[in-house]
Amino acid sequence: MPETPHRKKILMCPPDYFGVDYVINPWMEGQKGRTEAREARRQWLDLKALIERQAEVLLLSPRSGLPDLVFTANAGLAGSGKFVISRFRHPERRGEETLFRDWFEAHGFRVIDPPEGLFFEGAGDALHDETRKLFWVGHGFRSDAGLAPFLEKALATRAVPLGLADPRYYHLDTCLCPLPGGFLLYYPGAFDPASRATIEAIVPDDKRVPVSAAEAADFCCNAVALGQTVILNAASPRLRDRLAQEGFVIEPTPLTEFMKAGGAAKCLTLDLYPNTP
Ligand code: ARG
């Protein structure tokens, strides 16, 4: 994998074939066939334009029959000169794996498979914390608990496993977001008690930004942080104030069409060169 460029590179996939065709998470219930293609495209283009102010966007070609391919966070996890590719839990998404593999191989990444028999859903469940030089790794709904020790070895970076306990927050990136300066935006209700205690032991109180159930349901934790800019679907006035106080610039951009499929800003992006060792 080439050296880390100074301007971030983010992978996205246009929503040409995006839709809710099946139900594999609670947000998708009752939404089959109910997404609006024009509105989805508009929202996706607005998100892309915001990201392009700070980073370069690379595109993966969309493919019919793969409506969730837009959620490139689930392609895999880049770090330490490697790319650990996803193995999806649900057969509905397995068709995406070869497209991701082809793209990453064609772009010079060394692609590594997760251990036999383990599911892994990429950067949806593994979030790099630059301040603490670790990965937060979610398990319980999609990725397997055995992933954290494997990633720790493969990426030569500490991996802290966190158990997810609420089916609406089935991927770690729906309920936790490390921010620059060591801040951690998260929804405590999404985690089992031991994992909440783990977070509290690692992240000091003044760096934790817990959000309420209502704030979490707006996908505020599914945020893309680029420098001090935090791009997200929506943030309550309270959360905006708190983040502004810490020096962040909040850029809300509606992603309601994608929330029908259970994803928002972060899910629609993949950081190709996180600052790992
Ligand atoms: N419908 C997709 C799924 O259930 C949404 C994925 C959202 N991605 C994410 N990184 N949270 O798999």
Side-chain angles (χ1 to χ4, degrees), residues 77-266:
L77 179 68
S80 307
K82 296 171 188 148
F83 184 72
V84 181
I85 193 155
S86 289
R87 182 179 298 129
F88 286 95
R89 182 168 297 270
H90 295 289
E92 289 88 341
R93 292 199 68 182
R94 268 177 218 152
E96 298 174 37
E97 290 168 13
T98 52
L99 297 188
F100 289 134
R101 188 183 298 276
D102 291 349
W103 193 94
F104 282 89
E105 283 177 355
H107 287 78
F109 288 82
R110 183 146 78 84
V111 176
I112 297 181
D113 287 281
E116 203 55 46
L118 291 188
F119 294 114
F120 176 52
E121 300 204 353
D125 270 329
L127 299 170
H128 190 231
D129 187 322
E130 282 189 20
T131 307
R132 302 182 178 84
K133 312 237 172 300
L134 58 80
F135 279 103
W136 300 100
V137 185
H139 62 85
F141 295 103
R142 299 295 182 85
S143 300
D144 280 303
L147 250 302
F150 162 76
L151 290 178
E152 188 158 285
K153 264 208 189 136
L155 302 179
T157 305
R158 181 180 174 204
V160 177
L162 296 174
L164 299 171
D166 180 335
R168 285 172 309 160
Y169 301 101
Y170 58 94
H171 276 143
L172 184 63
D173 69 357
T174 62
C175 52
L176 180 137
C177 178
L179 296 173
F183 293 96
L184 190 76
L185 180 63
Y186 75 117
Y187 170 47
F191 296 91
D192 61 40
S195 301
R196 275 205 295 273
T198 300
I199 292 172
E200 288 164 14
I202 295 178
V203 183
D205 184 53
D206 61 332
K207 295 286 180 180
R208 293 197 298 266
V209 185
V211 306
S212 69
E215 289 168 330
D218 269 341
F219 272 72
C220 66
C221 297
N222 197 248
V224 180
L226 292 168
Q228 290 302 107
T229 304
V230 181
I231 303 168
L232 37 62
N233 168 66
S236 67
R238 179 207 74 88
L239 181 60
R240 280 199 208 197
D241 285 354
R242 170 76 205 274
L243 291 174
Q245 258 170 35
E246 309 292 3
F248 292 101
V249 178
I250 312 306
E251 294 279 10
T253 188
L255 292 161
T256 47
E257 289 303 312
F258 299 97
M259 283 164 59
K260 295 175 183 171
K266 169 60 172 50

Side-chain angles (χ1 to χ4, degrees), residues 40-52:
R41 169 158 300 272
R42 214 177 53 78
Q43 294 183 350
W44 185 86
L45 286 171
D46 287 349
L47 173 67
K48 178 166 171 281
L50 275 176
I51 290 172
E52 281 175 332

